[in-house]
Amino acid sequence: MPDEVKAALVGVSGGSGPDGVTWESLKGIARETHSSLFSIWMLAGEVPDAVAQGISTLIPKTTGSAGPSQFCPIPVTSTVGKMYDRILARRLERTLH
């Protein structure tokens, strides 16, 4: 899994999520550390609440938007969770192809 962690960190940048963790700070942590955590989560079948939670911001599609259908939800999730999701998505993609 360390190679999967390395691949998940390629080409990512940007600010932090609700967890306050940035992509740059994740790149400074040993891949084996991430691998160990992710393996534990997979074996347990769940991730910590702080990783699973996110914040959604509603962005109006047009000026004067009033109803729910006139807004576009933009979710902001944990950066650690995004990295974990990238690894799982790549595994699923390999399985399906």
Side-chain angles (χ1 to χ4, degrees):
M1 183 181 291
D3 290 337
E4 291 176 294
V5 170
K6 180 180 177 180
L9 290 170
V10 171
V12 293
S13 63
S16 64
D19 56 5
V21 178
T22 65
W23 287 107
E24 290 305 314
S25 65
L26 288 178
K27 291 176 184 178
I29 298 172
R31 292 188 301 238
E32 293 75 18
T33 301
H34 293 298
S35 297
S36 295
L37 282 175
F38 296 160
S39 293
I40 291 168
W41 298 348
M42 283 186 224
L43 288 170
E46 60 185 347
V47 297
D49 288 341
V51 173
Q53 294 177 353
I55 299 170
S56 289
T57 301
L58 297 175
I59 306 296
K61 293 179 180 178
T62 61
T63 303
S65 297
S69 65
Q70 297 174 337
F71 289 86
C72 180
I74 305 295
V76 178
T77 58
S78 157
T79 308
V80 175
K82 287 179 198 172
M83 183 169 65
Y84 184 61
D85 290 346
R86 288 171 69 106
I87 292 169
L88 295 179
R90 286 188 174 133
R91 284 185 177 192
L92 182 58
E93 188 176 293
R94 282 194 312 265
T95 302
L96 296 174
H97 292 310

